[in-house]
Amino acid sequence: ISHYDGTSWTSYTSANSPMPYDDMRGIVVDHNNVVWATFLNVAVSNGGGIAKFDGTNWTIYTPANSALPSWNVDKIDVDAQNNIWIGTELGLVKFDGINWTLYNSQNSGLMNNNVTDVEYDASTGKIYVATGISIDIFDGTTWSHINHTNSPVSTTGLYAVDARGDSIIVSTVGGSYLTYIYNGSSWVSHPEKDHTYDARIDNDGNFWICGIGVLEKFDGTDWT
């Protein structure tokens, strides 16, 4: 993890911090300015977890010392109540600082347990989850879905998602290599040459994706 204060860079690695591995998968800063990051070393069977850093103290969460259900963790985000949401291969996890809550296909509306992305939309208070076969949306009570039955998105490979109000972007890995954008009234599909691993909608309403060999922006008319 590297931090830039406008003048200097500071890097935290397994050599100078309690983080056991250096392969970072996701990062978010909560409302108390605490950094939460997921790490995963695919070379070992128990190489994943969450690192929490408040600027002084580190806390490492793994299935060995917490109710985190899986070592295989990916993206992470924070909601308005300062709950931390974590995507794992065994479902979606919410951590309120004390309690761990697992949402999976057996106890919730999650369509698939392998969560590759989780994003909180502050404008609606909804959690958006990418699960490969579906984008699952949780408003705190009920679940809804975006998938091939009600939209142009593909049946597999839905890897990353972001949402702001009525606008949605979905990036994909494998399959048809398409980026899907919903602007509030209609869908746009844009071809990519390879995997795209992250998607964002910025404050001006521009859509962004990044992946292997590509960083692209869509302003509603033109792709750059």
Side-chain angles (χ1 to χ4, degrees):
I1 301 173
S2 292
H3 169 255
Y4 182 58
D5 64 7
T7 304
S8 304
W9 285 90
T10 303
S11 291
Y12 301 96
T13 71
S14 57
N16 65 4
S17 78
M19 288 194 308
Y21 302 106
D22 295 327
D23 191 349
M24 312 309 297
R25 297 305 175 101
I27 190 167
V28 70
V29 181
D30 73 16
H31 303 299
N32 295 321
N33 211 34
V34 175
V35 177
W36 300 76
T38 54
F39 58 87
L40 177 62
N41 181 355
V42 297
V44 296
S45 60
N46 57 352
I50 303 167
K52 173 187 174 184
F53 183 50
D54 64 9
T56 303
N57 301 305
W58 290 85
T59 305
I60 306 299
Y61 298 101
T62 71
N65 67 359
S66 75
L68 193 66
S70 172
W71 300 90
N72 195 330
V73 294
D74 211 309
K75 301 297 178 59
I76 190 169
D77 208 356
V78 61
D79 66 19
Q81 288 73 45
N82 218 33
N83 297 306
I84 304 300
W85 296 81
I86 309 109
T88 82
E89 68 171 353
L90 294 180
L92 175 68
V93 176
K94 181 179 78 170
F95 182 48
D96 64 8
I98 299 173
N99 302 301
W100 300 81
T101 304
L102 173 64
Y103 301 91
N104 57 36
S105 58
Q106 289 73 46
N107 67 8
S108 74
L110 205 66
M111 299 293 288
N112 182 23
N113 288 336
N114 189 16
V115 176
T116 56
D117 195 14
V118 54
E119 298 293 339
Y120 172 70
D121 179 11
S123 65
T124 63
K126 296 178 180 179
I127 299 291
Y128 284 74
V129 185
T131 64
I133 61 173
S134 178
I135 302 300
D136 301 332
I137 307 162
F138 185 47
D139 66 4
T141 304
T142 59
W143 292 82
S144 57
H145 311 278
I146 298 170
N147 54 43
H148 71 281
T149 67
N150 58 14
S151 76
V153 302
S154 58
T155 58
T156 61
L158 307 180
Y159 192 83
V161 63
D162 199 18
R164 281 179 180 261
D166 292 333
S167 297
I168 301 167
I169 182 170
V170 180
S171 69
T172 63
V173 298
S176 56
Y177 295 126
L178 290 171
T179 295
Y180 302 98
I181 288 175
Y182 184 70
N183 61 13
S185 60
S186 60
W187 286 91
V188 174
S189 300
H190 180 69
E192 309 296 344
K193 294 181 179 180
D194 214 321
H195 303 310
T196 50
Y197 292 118
D198 210 354
R200 287 289 185 271
I201 305 173
D202 68 23
N203 292 331
D204 297 321
N206 297 303
F207 300 87
W208 295 81
I209 64 100
C210 65
I212 296 178
V214 64
L215 171 65
E216 285 185 295
K217 181 182 79 170
F218 180 57
D219 63 9
T221 304
D222 298 316
W223 288 86
T224 304

